[in-house]
């Protein structure tokens, strides 16, 4: 069978680039977008090319950044603008294929296998898209072209800004295998440390490692990463609109021991709500309804749900609601909990500000900024980089691996 042609398009310094469209004078100054410019512990979310020269890094604090570059211009984030730009950029992608799958606000996969007769080969389409996004939107994009999603993503990271990198099947051993294993999608800090102990340092080391050893080291993720390194990922690029058909986002867990105390329940729900919220944000969705399924020690389960005064994608709100529902319906011992958010809407539609309590709004804004910051940190350092102190040592099995869990049950 002929190889697929997959593109991964990644906007360069996206938040900073959008700010520069509105304030072109910022192009000539070192500038960074950060969570809370007034707070020296605020975190850098994005930086422009001029700031990069000073070694400013995403996810460091304002204080660290200012030490490197005292004249750094700090700009607060404008998430609604970023979402608007993201939609416009994805609309350009959609001119070349009906298979466009956003991965985050500034990254999407495109399957252009069937588009080549009309628009040229993968590299030609990538170059055309880069030019159009630069000219029509004012943002530069790096694009990886390969035969699967994982290597396409690797390609968009390989050369930037404003570049196209092609990895063909015959390039894998020579070009991909020498790259550090941490370049591979989903190899976070803790997985990298585990692999380092087994002296697996490059993608080639990973590809040649024994699959059973990897499973022993990393569990199911070891199996997945083995496929990734060997070029065996065959996951499809979703069709446009497929995500909109997602009816709910949920995650469940059977605990290592039964949950008995209120603290157990809070802790058990925390990671679940966190992962559900992050997946909602990734998909640009918010939900009106929070549902909890509680399975007791005799495996009898009940489901309870409540509808919020507004649609949310915030971990803190989902958690608070899930804790209340669980405590109100709590058996003596809980074996398993599942948290599901449904009644999904895309963020624009969900934003019914009039429903917010006036006093509540700034808090929600602050919480939203905080949680977006967490997303940025986790994208960069892995899921375990940020987690509540309480989960660091626990005996119920809430651990530091990136959450999996089912999406989109009908
Ligand atoms: Mg980017």
């Amino acid at each position: 069978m002929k190889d697929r042609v997959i593109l991964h398009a990644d906007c360069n310094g996206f938040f900073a680039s959008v700010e520069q469209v509105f304030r072109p004078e910022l192009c000539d100054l070192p500038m960074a977008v950060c969570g809370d410019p007034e707070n020296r512990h605020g975190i850098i979310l994005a930086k422009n090319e001029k700031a990069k020269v000073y070694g400013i890094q995403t996810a460091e604090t304002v204080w660290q950044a200012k030490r490197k570059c005292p004249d750094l211009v700090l700009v607060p984030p404008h998430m609604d603008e970023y979402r608007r730009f993201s939609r416009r950029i994805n609309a350009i992608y959609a001119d070349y294929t009906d298979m466009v799958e956003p991965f985050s606000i500034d990254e999407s996969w495109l399957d252009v296998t069937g588009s080549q007769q009309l628009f040229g080969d993968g590299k030609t389409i990538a170059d055309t898209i880069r030019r159009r996004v630069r000219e029509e939107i004012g943002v530069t994009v790096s694009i990886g072209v390969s035969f699967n999603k994982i290597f396409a993503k690797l390609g968009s990271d390989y050369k930037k800004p404003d570049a196209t990198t092609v990895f063909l099947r015959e390039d894998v051993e020579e070009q991909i295998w020498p790259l550090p294993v941490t370049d591979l999608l989903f190899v976070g800090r803790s997985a990298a440390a585990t692999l380092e102990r087994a002296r697996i340092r490059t993608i080639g080391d990973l590809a040649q490692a024994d699959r059973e050893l990897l499973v022993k080291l990393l569990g199911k993720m070891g199996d997945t990463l083995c496929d990734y390194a060997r070029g065996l990922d065959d996951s499809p690029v979703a069709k446009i609109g497929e995500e909109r058909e997602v009816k709910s986002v949920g995650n469940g867990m059977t605990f290592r021991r039964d949950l008995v105390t209120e603290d157990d329940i809070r802790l058990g729900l925390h990671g679940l709500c966190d992962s559900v919220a992050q997946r909602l944000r990734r998909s640009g969705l918010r939900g009106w309804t929070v549902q909890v399924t509680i399975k007791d020690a005799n495996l009898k389960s009940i489901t309870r749900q409540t509808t919020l005064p507004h649609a949310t994608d915030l971990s803190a709100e989902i958690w608070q609601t899930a804790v209340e529902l669980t405590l109100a319906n709590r058996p003596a011992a809980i074996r398993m909990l599942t948290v599901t958010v449904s009644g999904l809407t895309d963020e624009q539609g969900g934003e019914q500000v009039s429903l917010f309590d006036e006093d509540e709004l700034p808090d929600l804004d602050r919480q939203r900024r905080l949680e977006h910051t967490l997303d940025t940190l986790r994208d960069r350092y892995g899921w375990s980089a940020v987690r509540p102190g309480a989960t660091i040592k626990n005996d119920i099995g809430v651990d530091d691996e990136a959450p999996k869990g089912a999406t989109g049950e009908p």
Side-chain angles (χ1 to χ4, degrees):
M1 208 178 73
K2 270 199 81 173
D3 274 335
R4 294 178 299 161
V5 180
I6 312 279
L7 273 50
H8 181 268
D10 186 351
C11 300
N12 306 124
F14 183 54
F15 297 176
S17 302
V18 174
E19 296 299 336
Q20 288 179 169
V21 170
F22 291 104
R23 296 168 59 189
E25 71 276 12
L26 292 174
C27 296
D28 302 320
L29 304 168
M31 177 268 286
V33 178
C34 74
D36 186 356
E38 303 305 317
N39 180 348
R40 47 192 234 112
H41 298 296
I43 284 186
I44 305 292
L45 300 174
K47 72 271 176 192
N48 69 358
E49 290 296 319
K50 281 265 173 345
K52 250 181 231 172
V53 177
Y54 291 88
I56 308 294
Q57 306 222 335
T58 300
E60 70 184 350
T61 61
V62 165
W63 176 72
Q64 288 169 311
K66 278 275 191 184
R67 232 174 26 169
K68 294 177 186 168
C69 174
D71 295 330
L72 185 67
V73 178
L74 297 171
V75 177
H78 298 96
M79 290 309 299
D80 286 341
E81 279 308 330
Y82 307 154
R83 277 194 283 273
R84 206 166 59 82
F85 270 66
S86 175
R87 272 195 290 274
R88 288 171 59 208
I89 292 167
N90 277 286
I92 291 180
Y93 300 160
D95 286 344
Y96 300 90
T97 172
D98 63 344
M99 296 164 88
V100 178
E101 179 185 339
F103 180 55
S104 67
I105 193 165
D106 71 328
E107 295 178 36
S108 296
W109 279 290
L110 291 70
D111 185 330
V112 297
T113 312
S115 318
Q116 298 176 93
Q117 280 206 317
L118 273 174
F119 301 111
D121 64 9
K123 179 173 187 311
T124 306
I125 296 175
D127 290 342
T128 309
I129 286 176
R130 280 198 297 114
R131 182 181 49 74
R132 281 194 60 195
V133 176
R134 187 178 59 234
E135 290 176 2
E136 295 172 29
I137 313 282
V139 169
T140 63
V141 180
S142 290
I143 302 182
V145 183
S146 195
F147 55 93
N148 67 38
K149 287 165 80 175
I150 299 304
F151 289 168
K153 163 112 176 119
L154 205 60
S156 70
D157 230 15
Y158 190 77
K159 211 171 144 207
K160 37 190 186 186
D162 205 4
T164 300
T165 299
V166 181
F167 287 138
L168 299 174
R169 200 174 279 277
E170 53 265 35
D171 302 329
V172 170
E173 288 192 26
E174 205 169 305
Q175 292 197 49
I176 294 183
W177 282 12
L179 297 174
V181 76
T182 44
D183 284 1
L184 207 57
L185 185 61
F186 299 134
V187 177
R189 226 171 20 173
S190 80
T194 305
L195 292 170
E196 169 65 36
R197 281 195 290 278
R199 279 190 266 177
I200 296 169
R201 290 172 188 137
T202 65
I203 296 177
D205 292 343
L206 186 62
Q208 287 162 306
D210 179 52
R211 186 183 289 269
E212 274 166 39
L213 168 75
L214 294 174
V215 172
K216 213 186 292 167
L217 291 174
L218 297 168
K220 224 174 109 188
M221 187 48 99
D223 204 34
T224 305
L225 292 179
C226 186
D227 280 350
Y228 285 2
R230 294 179 184 184
L232 298 175
D233 167 57
D234 61 355
S235 57
V237 175
K239 275 214 165 82
I240 294 167
E242 255 173 20
E243 263 161 316
R244 292 288 169 262
E245 285 158 28
V246 170
K247 297 283 198 303
S248 65
V249 173
N251 195 7
M253 180 171 182
T254 302
F255 300 99
R256 200 171 291 152
R257 65 163 173 78
D258 291 345
L259 309 185
V260 183
T261 66
E262 187 174 325
D263 281 348
D264 283 350
I265 292 169
R266 287 179 176 280
L267 175 60
L269 286 168
H270 194 282
L272 295 175
C273 295
D274 217 11
S275 72
V276 167
Q278 199 191 27
R279 275 162 44 215
L280 286 169
R281 292 194 294 270
R282 267 209 190 292
S283 316
L285 297 168
R286 294 182 190 180
W288 290 89
T289 303
V290 176
Q291 176 185 297
V292 178
T293 299
I294 306 163
K295 199 179 271 185
D296 68 18
N298 302 316
L299 305 183
K300 191 171 138 297
S301 66
I302 55 164
T303 296
R304 293 290 180 270
Q305 63 177 52
T306 191
T307 298
L308 301 168
H310 53 258
T312 188
D313 60 359
L314 294 180
S315 172
E317 284 189 293
I318 298 167
W319 186 40
Q320 191 188 341
T321 311
V323 167
E324 282 167 14
L325 278 172
T326 308
L327 291 178
N329 297 281
R330 145 194 198 184
I334 295 174
R335 176 70 46 89
M336 182 186 181
L337 286 170
T338 303
V339 176
T340 308
V341 173
S342 59
L344 301 184
T345 160
D346 60 24
E347 290 172 296
Q348 294 296 311
E351 203 117 48
Q352 303 207 9
V353 177
S354 60
L355 287 174
F356 284 109
D357 182 341
E358 288 281 290
D359 292 329
E360 193 188 10
L361 192 55
D363 276 352
L364 283 173
D365 270 351
R366 208 171 315 126
Q367 185 65 30
R368 175 154 293 110
R369 219 157 11 176
L370 172 73
E371 294 193 16
H372 277 289
T373 305
L374 293 186
D375 292 346
T376 308
L377 285 169
R378 282 171 169 162
D379 281 348
R380 196 173 167 87
Y381 295 117
W383 181 262
S384 60
V386 190
R387 54 196 173 119
T391 69
I392 285 171
K393 254 200 159 66
N394 70 81
D395 62 346
I396 64 171
V398 175
D399 61 23
D400 60 359
E401 283 312 313
K404 293 143 200 111
T407 311
E409 53 266 44

